[in-house]
Amino acid sequence: MSLKSERRGIHVDQSELLCKKGCGYYGNPAWQGFCSKCWREEYHKARQKQIQEDWELAERLQREEEEAFASSQSGPGAQSLTFSKFEEKKTNEKTRKVTTVKKFFSASSRVGSKKAEIQEAKAPSPSINRQASIETDRVSKEFIEFLKTFHKTGQEIYKQTKMFLETMHYKRDLSIEEQSECTQDFYQNVAERMQTRGKVPSERVEKIMDQIEKYIMTRLYKYVFCPETTDDEKKDLAIQKRIRALHWVTPQMLCVPVNEEISEVSDMVVKAITDIIEMDSKRVPRDKLACITKCSKHIFNAIKITKNEPASADDFLPTLIYIVLKGNPPRLQSNIQYITRFCNPSRLMAGEDGYYFTNLCCAVAFIEKLDAQSLNLSQEDFDRYMSGQTSPRKQESENWSPDACLGVKQMYKNLDLLSQLNERQERIMSEAKKLEKDLIEWTDGIAKEVQDIVEKYPLEIKPPNQSLAAIDSENVENDKLPPPLQPQVYAG
């Protein structure tokens, strides 16, 4: 079986990660493949269309009611018919007051939400509330200290943020999509106002938006994360059950280029699983994204150590799927939906955070649709594995006869292990010989280059010129000269 055919169920073209509208930003399966900006445009179009349809429906029903009222004046059952049409008109008037049909139906869930709040108030958890209060106070102080460095601009930002939180307090009865839209509008308005009015550089705008997101989402977390009005919890249980049912999937089936027998690689895998699980403990969308990014970087390091070369996108996605299957992160869908709804859209549309998050969404979508063809298995084997009748990890032991001695089984396992060690030893020796050959060639090359330079520029050594010293100087080198003439006295 070729590697190409093995990868056919997992390979995702990088162009498929981009927004399908062609704007160049990363798309998101939760947004039907659009980026945040394009999705909001499509959402507004759909909402305006729904509003128009609601008006047309209301006008049509009103005309029918007027026609029925006019015709009922001559009939015996006029009063009962008129009353029923009056009730229908009254209902339609209520429908026209809401912006969308979805908001109208979500109003019925307010009772359940209020009941849940009453129950929560009756049985509060002091430790959890105290911990949340401490964290909220800490984040508030950090936010105020951060804005002090911006003087007047910081005061304006703090004022807008407080007004937004007060507004969101009165919008808790709205659907989570509408609360998300309000938050995204707030992000966009604040960023545009800083860039146009405050003339704040884009780098500082990103830092300020990160602090704004941290502040408001820490305060709104308990209201907007996995709300009861959505089916997020249902999706969490479904994906958790799905991952448990796929416990038998091996790295070989996913073509995962990671060798966990290497201790360093095994440590990287454990760190990646820890990071993806730790995502659920964070309250800020940016912190959850940071966990995904750290997990992805550990995956790249594990692949690089195993293959001794940089990892590619075709290596990364199968390994990320394997990490999710092995870790089974808690409330996975809720965390993805929370990031999608309330994260600063600039982080999801571009950059490494957006790329890794898009890959995580693709991994979850692959797990939900995983079938026999994706793993290159027959439908019969896939059904047996899913039902728990057998497991690919047990096939090796099932090949043995029931009467086989345990010692013989252990002996063959040891022989297989020795064979693997022998292959690794041969590979190491081959690499060592190659390294030795490279060192010898490098040494010979350096020696040849030096010899060529010496031959091209020969070194000539000339004797030094000896300067003549004075006869009467006290020079040690002049000790071989004849002694000076002594005065002689002649007798006259």
Side-chain angles (χ1 to χ4, degrees):
M1 183 182 296
S2 65
L3 184 61
K4 185 177 181 180
S5 63
E6 290 177 356
R7 291 186 183 276
R8 67 169 183 255
I10 303 177
H11 173 74
V12 173
D13 191 356
Q14 293 300 295
S15 61
E16 297 178 6
L17 302 179
L18 300 177
C19 176
K20 65 182 184 181
K21 202 171 183 179
C23 64
Y25 294 112
Y26 291 122
N28 191 330
W31 295 328
Q32 300 179 6
F34 294 102
C35 67
S36 175
K37 182 179 179 181
C38 297
W39 166 247
R40 293 181 67 196
E41 293 177 356
E42 295 295 325
Y43 178 76
H44 279 296
K45 291 179 181 178
R47 200 168 89 166
Q48 292 299 327
K49 182 180 178 182
Q50 186 65 55
I51 293 174
Q52 184 65 27
E53 292 178 355
D54 292 343
W55 276 101
E56 292 176 356
L57 177 62
E59 292 175 355
R60 181 172 60 83
L61 292 176
Q62 185 176 5
R63 287 196 303 269
E64 293 178 356
E65 186 269 336
E66 292 174 352
E67 293 174 358
F69 177 78
S71 62
S72 63
Q73 297 299 323
S74 58
Q79 186 175 0
S80 60
L81 181 60
T82 303
F83 180 77
S84 63
K85 288 296 181 180
F86 173 76
E87 289 293 326
E88 186 176 4
K89 179 181 178 182
K90 186 178 180 181
T91 304
N92 292 329
E93 288 292 335
K94 293 182 180 179
T95 306
R96 289 204 302 267
K97 291 180 182 179
V98 296
T99 56
T100 61
V101 174
K102 191 170 187 180
K103 183 190 296 184
F104 174 72
F105 285 106
S106 64
S108 61
S109 61
R110 297 177 187 175
V111 178
S113 178
K114 291 181 179 179
K115 288 182 179 179
E117 292 178 1
I118 295 174
Q119 292 177 359
E120 184 178 357
K122 289 181 179 179
S125 177
S127 60
I128 295 177
N129 292 338
R130 183 163 54 251
Q131 181 180 0
S133 177
I134 293 173
E135 184 176 0
T136 302
D137 294 340
R138 178 181 58 81
V139 172
S140 300
K141 292 179 181 178
E142 292 177 356
F143 184 60
I144 294 173
E145 291 296 326
F146 175 79
L147 292 179
K148 284 181 179 179
T149 59
F150 295 91
H151 306 294
K152 187 176 180 180
T153 304
Q155 295 177 1
E156 183 66 22
I157 293 173
Y158 183 75
K159 182 179 178 180
Q160 295 176 17
T161 307
K162 293 291 291 183
M163 291 178 60
F164 169 75
L165 290 175
E166 292 176 0
T167 304
M168 291 297 292
H169 177 76
Y170 296 103
K171 291 185 178 181
R172 291 179 186 172
D173 291 337
L174 298 181
S175 66
I176 195 64
E177 286 78 12
E178 290 170 325
Q179 295 185 56
S180 170
E181 186 180 0
C182 293
T183 306
Q184 298 296 330
D185 288 338
F186 174 72
Y187 287 149
Q188 183 177 357
N189 293 335
V190 172
E192 290 179 353
R193 185 171 297 182
M194 283 190 291
Q195 290 177 346
T196 55
R197 296 185 181 180
K199 305 297 181 182
V200 181
S202 58
E203 297 80 7
R204 301 189 71 182
V205 170
E206 285 298 322
K207 293 181 180 179
I208 296 174
M209 294 305 301
D210 289 341
Q211 293 296 325
I212 292 176
E213 176 190 317
K214 181 178 181 180
Y215 175 64
I216 64 175
M217 296 316 304
T218 302
R219 299 178 69 92
L220 297 177
Y221 176 80
K222 62 180 180 180
Y223 304 110
V224 297
F225 181 82
C226 191
E228 295 181 356
T229 55
T230 64
D231 57 350
D232 292 350
E233 185 176 1
K234 183 179 179 181
K235 292 180 179 179
D236 288 334
L237 297 175
I239 191 65
Q240 190 176 48
K241 183 179 179 181
R242 175 70 171 172
I243 293 176
R244 286 177 179 174
L246 295 170
H247 66 90
W248 48 269
V249 177
T250 63
Q252 292 75 21
M253 293 179 179
L254 297 171
C255 303
V256 175
V258 169
N259 185 6
E260 295 187 66
E261 294 181 359
I262 303 175
S263 60
E264 192 173 358
V265 174
S266 179
D267 292 340
M268 291 294 175
V269 171
V270 172
K271 290 179 181 178
I273 295 174
T274 303
D275 288 333
I276 198 69
I277 292 176
E278 188 181 1
M279 174 179 63
D280 185 60
S281 64
K282 305 298 181 181
R283 303 180 66 170
V284 182
R286 180 169 61 91
D287 294 340
K288 292 180 181 291
L289 278 179
C291 292
I292 299 174
T293 301
K294 288 193 295 183
C295 168
S296 302
K297 290 184 176 180
H298 287 316
I299 290 175
F300 274 108
N301 290 334
I303 297 173
K304 183 178 180 180
I305 295 172
T306 301
K307 299 181 65 177
N308 199 20
E309 62 182 18
S312 64
D314 287 341
D315 295 329
F316 170 67
L317 185 57
T319 310
L320 179 61
I321 295 171
Y322 173 67
I323 293 296
V324 174
L325 288 175
K326 194 169 183 179
N328 197 358
R331 299 193 291 186
L332 181 57
Q333 288 286 9
S334 291
N335 283 288
I336 291 177
Q337 292 295 331
Y338 177 70
I339 294 173
T340 301
R341 292 163 180 160
F342 298 102
C343 184
N344 184 5
S346 62
R347 285 194 169 272
L348 299 183
M349 293 165 61
E352 63 177 5
D353 289 343
Y355 174 76
Y356 295 139
F357 179 71
T358 303
N359 275 273
L360 177 62
C361 294
C362 292
V364 174
F366 176 84
I367 292 173
E368 291 176 338
K369 299 177 181 179
L370 188 143
D371 54 11
Q373 185 179 3
S374 302
L375 300 176
N376 296 321
L377 296 174
S378 64
Q379 189 62 42
E380 181 182 357
D381 290 340
F382 183 82
D383 293 339
R384 288 193 297 118
Y385 295 155
M386 290 295 291
S387 62
Q389 297 178 3
T390 184
S391 172
R393 304 177 188 273
K394 298 179 181 180
Q395 285 185 346
E396 183 180 353
S397 60
E398 290 177 353
N399 293 332
W400 294 94
S401 63
D403 300 332
C405 177
L406 294 177
V408 174
K409 294 181 182 180
Q410 187 63 40
M411 180 187 68
Y412 278 102
K413 288 182 179 179
N414 292 339
L415 288 174
D416 183 53
L417 180 61
L418 288 174
S419 176
Q420 296 178 10
L421 292 175
N422 185 37
E423 292 178 359
R424 293 176 62 184
Q425 182 69 17
E426 290 179 355
R427 186 166 60 252
I428 292 173
M429 291 300 298
S430 176
E431 295 293 334
K433 290 180 180 179
K434 183 177 180 299
L435 178 60
E436 182 182 7
K437 182 181 177 182
D438 292 342
L439 288 174
I440 293 174
E441 292 178 353
W442 178 77
T443 305
D444 294 342
I446 295 295
K448 187 176 182 305
E449 290 180 3
V450 172
Q451 184 64 29
D452 292 341
I453 294 174
V454 171
E455 291 177 357
K456 187 176 182 180
Y457 305 101
L459 180 63
E460 296 180 1
I461 302 177
K462 297 180 179 181
N465 295 328
Q466 295 182 356
S467 60
L468 297 177
I471 296 177
D472 56 350
S473 64
E474 295 180 359
N475 195 343
V476 180
E477 296 180 356
N478 297 333
D479 56 353
K480 295 181 180 180
L481 294 176
L485 295 177
Q486 298 292 333
Q488 298 179 1
V489 179
Y490 294 95

